[in-house]
Amino acid sequence: MNQELIVRRIYWAIIFVGPAVSLAVSPSQSFDPINLVKLIILATSGFVIFGLFLSSTTKLVSRISKFFWIYCGLFILAMASTFLFSGAPKGQQFWGSFGRNTGLLTYLSLLFILIGTALLQKAHLYRAVINSLVLTSIPVLIYCLIQIADLDPIGWSLKDTFATFGNTNFLSAFLGISALASFILAFDKTKLIGVRIGLICLALLSAFIILDTGSIQGFMILLAGIGVAGYLFVRSGKKILILRIPYVILSFFGLFLAIMGVANKGPLASFIFQPSILYRADYWHAGWVMTFQHPIFGVGLDSYGDWYREVRGSISTLRTGPERTANTAHNIFLDLSSNGGLPLILSYLALLGFALAISFRWIRKNKDFDPYFVAIFSCWVAYQIQALVSINQIGIGVWGWILNGALIGYGISVTPEAAKEVMSSVRNKTRKTSTLPASSGALAILFAALGFALAYIPFNADAAYKSADKSRDLAIMMKSVELPGTSGWHLSQVLNAAVVNNFPTQAKILDTEMIKKYPRDLYGWKILYFLTSSTPEEKKLALAKLGELDPFNPDIPKS
């Protein structure tokens, strides 16, 4: 009974974390109003789940194959080895680079959430998880309409429609996934007709917002997910089973045309191709080069930006100018392989492959159309497609890892009979009790406090920098970047303020600190070269470092 109660508490943490991470913003507290507050919620929830898991480890581990636990262990080991031996700044690896925050803390928290979701193993609990994704889209859509109407009460620096994700592409991707879930669940015949109509309306409104953003990501993953769901629907109907092969042929033909369109060829090119695709190709190329130049430990967690200039090549450098850079490969798989080397990407692919293998086994055994499994599986596929062309933004990434865990748990535990019982609202309810064992409660509280404290450190540093920046007092600004959790970006901003406002002594102090903490950051070496107080030897060293870190940049002096 204690085991089931612990699982129930894990379930409530998962039901909370997905919506909360997607919706949370902190525009008045921190300079980065999007990612840092999401990290606090993610880490606190993830560590709560881990604490609950530890309190009943022996019994819970047996719920899933040992291979799953091996893959999880290898993923953690790969991250730990990268953290220790890649040579990248430890703070940057742990909390992630500014504006991304996809470092060790984020990926540990995501893994704990995946594990917790995989352990639920009750059909009605997974039904609630996918429902929470759909419900999260409602406040997102309402906020989008407010932004479109130019009635946003928050004075964002951008006037685009991005809701709580900070970027139109991220919003587009989230709405593509949530609209897919809404559309598929509308085929649940056990739902009231009003609910089904409401789901269709949500999907259509999401499509309208995606169109307004001008980002094709949402449409691409929505159509891909519908394609997967459509195949499972055709396969489940005896009268339309004959259409399965024509459907597959037509789907592959559509996929071929889409790929041609991405390459600016074929009839869909005018709808699909965007100039940013070329830039993404540059970022993918750099990520690929980093992976095979640093195959064991990678370049460091969330440290892609430190190496981009060095490996980008002359074509990428000159395509739009040498100052176009990136701190991510815009491809989650290449981000992981470049950041952590082959061990990290292979262990991650093993977790995905484990979920895919279980899904295929479930599909072979179940011929009926189960809208909840189909929604989980199709949304998972849609997320993987999005991962090929985008960034692991925390507000979207949390759903990708939840869906991965849900596929594993659903595939292991939900039989056709159990699925039908849930669809008929005959639920296997857990006996209600409200008291956790004292040890479980203590571990949950302890790890919640640990997760919160670890994630609050960069949030506090960022909030201190925001307050100092408003004061325009250089002394206060210099104090703010002494706090733990400060990123290289914060330090560079204070250094820039010292240079622009002609404080040479302070600039030299800050630049020395910049180079010491972030030796691969080009800005520190640029300032050292141009500072009038720099010695000839320092200028010579700075010039050599600039050439080493940005070898394809024609604007860097040769001597």
Side-chain angles (χ1 to χ4, degrees):
M1 182 54 64
N2 288 342
Q3 179 185 350
E4 291 305 316
L5 184 57
I6 289 169
V7 168
R8 194 74 183 178
R9 294 295 185 269
I10 291 174
Y11 156 76
W12 282 115
I14 291 164
I15 287 294
F16 166 78
V17 69
V21 169
S22 290
L23 297 174
V25 291
S26 57
S28 60
Q29 289 82 23
S30 54
F31 199 90
D32 176 357
I34 304 294
N35 298 286
L36 290 170
V37 67
K38 293 182 188 300
L39 177 59
I40 288 178
I41 297 170
L42 182 81
T44 305
S45 302
F47 276 64
V48 163
I49 291 169
F50 184 64
L52 289 168
F53 166 73
L54 282 183
S55 69
S56 188
T57 305
T58 305
K59 293 180 180 179
L60 290 178
V61 164
S62 63
R63 287 182 170 225
I64 312 177
S65 162
K66 64 181 180 181
F67 292 106
F68 172 75
W69 299 110
I70 291 172
Y71 301 149
C72 290
L74 290 174
F75 187 77
I76 293 173
L77 182 62
M79 287 196 297
S81 61
T82 293
F83 181 79
L84 293 173
F85 304 119
S86 67
K90 292 295 188 289
Q92 180 173 285
Q93 290 196 83
F94 189 78
W95 289 298
S97 59
F98 179 79
R100 301 298 182 204
N101 297 107
T102 47
L104 178 62
L105 181 59
T106 292
Y107 275 106
L108 270 181
S109 302
L110 289 171
L111 183 64
F112 296 157
I113 290 167
L114 183 156
I115 291 170
T117 312
L119 291 172
L120 298 182
Q121 298 193 3
K122 289 211 185 307
H124 67 279
L125 299 184
Y126 291 120
R127 176 175 180 163
V129 168
I130 200 68
N131 285 342
S132 72
L133 171 61
V134 173
L135 291 172
T136 303
S137 71
I138 295 175
V140 170
L141 290 169
I142 292 172
Y143 190 26
C144 287
L145 293 175
I146 291 172
Q147 290 183 323
I148 290 172
D150 200 22
L151 298 174
D152 195 338
I154 300 174
W156 300 106
S157 57
L158 294 175
K159 295 301 180 183
D160 292 331
T161 303
F162 54 78
T164 56
F165 295 91
N167 180 291
T168 55
N169 287 323
F170 301 150
L171 171 66
S172 176
F174 172 80
L175 290 181
I177 295 171
S178 63
L180 176 60
S182 299
F183 179 76
I184 294 170
L185 295 186
F187 285 81
D188 179 1
K189 295 179 180 178
T190 66
K191 293 187 183 297
L192 297 174
I193 187 65
V195 173
R196 297 172 70 183
I197 292 172
L199 289 167
I200 292 294
C201 290
L202 276 180
L204 291 175
L205 181 56
S206 297
F208 167 76
I209 301 295
I210 293 171
L211 182 64
D212 181 76
T213 65
S215 171
I216 65 170
Q217 283 188 28
F219 276 126
M220 294 297 289
I221 63 178
L222 175 59
L223 291 175
I226 289 174
V228 171
Y231 172 78
L232 295 175
F233 180 77
V234 169
R235 174 183 171 274
S236 68
K238 294 181 180 179
K239 294 181 180 179
I240 57 175
L241 187 59
I242 194 173
L243 298 176
R244 182 170 62 173
I245 294 177
Y247 184 91
V248 171
I249 294 172
L250 186 62
S251 296
F252 274 105
F253 181 67
L255 177 62
F256 173 75
L257 290 180
I259 293 173
M260 292 287 288
V262 169
N264 200 21
K265 297 178 181 179
L268 299 181
S270 60
F271 300 99
I272 296 177
F273 179 77
Q274 294 180 338
S276 61
I277 292 174
L278 292 175
Y279 309 152
R280 278 179 164 78
D282 292 336
Y283 308 145
W284 299 339
H285 166 262
W288 185 260
V289 173
M290 289 180 212
T291 299
F292 288 97
Q293 285 188 355
H294 306 270
I296 306 302
F297 303 120
V299 300
L301 299 173
D302 224 5
S303 297
Y304 173 100
D306 291 344
W307 291 82
Y308 175 73
R309 290 175 180 268
E310 182 173 326
V311 305
R312 59 182 169 176
S314 56
I315 294 175
S316 300
T317 303
L318 301 176
R319 191 186 302 279
T320 57
E323 295 310 309
R324 176 176 62 84
T325 61
N327 59 6
T328 168
H330 291 73
N331 177 303
I332 292 173
F333 304 100
L334 285 173
D335 269 334
L336 288 170
S337 66
S338 61
N339 289 181
L342 296 178
L344 186 60
I345 185 59
L346 290 176
S347 57
Y348 178 69
L349 290 175
L351 286 169
L352 298 185
F354 187 79
L356 189 61
I358 286 176
S359 300
F360 283 163
R361 186 181 68 187
W362 196 94
I363 291 169
R364 284 197 304 271
K365 292 181 178 180
N366 296 270
K367 303 300 182 183
D368 293 332
F369 184 81
D370 176 353
Y372 279 92
F373 172 81
V374 172
I376 294 170
F377 181 67
S378 300
C379 289
W380 179 83
V381 171
Y383 176 78
Q384 305 313 321
I385 294 172
Q386 185 261 348
L388 289 171
V389 298
S390 193
I391 295 162
N392 188 19
Q393 206 268 355
I394 297 174
I396 305 169
V398 64
W399 291 108
W401 288 71
I402 287 173
L403 291 167
N404 203 64
L407 269 189
I408 293 169
Y410 202 101
I412 288 173
S413 63
V414 181
T415 63
E417 293 74 23
K420 288 177 182 177
E421 285 180 359
V422 172
M423 300 310 295
S424 302
S425 297
V426 180
R427 300 184 181 182
N428 179 21
K429 296 183 179 179
T430 305
R431 180 181 164 187
K432 291 186 177 181
T433 177
S434 59
T435 305
L436 274 175
S439 59
S440 299
L443 274 174
I445 294 171
L446 175 64
F447 276 90
L450 177 62
F452 176 85
L454 290 174
Y456 183 74
I457 290 171
F459 182 91
N460 180 61
D462 188 59
Y465 169 77
K466 179 177 182 177
S467 176
D469 183 63
K470 286 183 177 179
S471 74
R472 309 311 300 167
D473 186 318
L474 185 61
I476 297 175
M477 294 175 72
M478 291 177 69
K479 277 287 185 183
S480 73
V481 293
E482 293 175 1
L483 292 172
T486 299
S487 70
W489 181 87
H490 293 104
L491 188 52
S492 71
Q493 296 306 298
V494 179
L495 172 56
N496 181 69
V499 171
V500 169
N501 292 289
N502 196 27
F503 289 93
T505 303
Q506 291 87 339
K508 190 64 180 288
I509 293 171
L510 289 164
D511 193 50
T512 301
E513 188 71 9
M514 184 82 186
I515 291 172
K516 178 183 176 182
K517 288 185 175 180
Y518 305 97
R520 295 196 61 83
D521 192 302
L522 203 72
Y523 187 69
W525 295 109
K526 278 185 176 180
I527 295 300
L528 182 63
Y529 180 75
F530 287 109
L531 277 176
T532 56
S533 58
S534 296
T535 66
E537 291 76 16
E538 288 175 328
K539 286 181 178 288
K540 183 178 179 180
L541 174 62
L543 193 60
K545 280 292 184 180
L546 290 171
E548 176 188 322
L549 297 174
D550 198 2
F552 302 98
N553 189 343
D555 297 337
I556 291 179
K558 302 302 179 186
S559 60

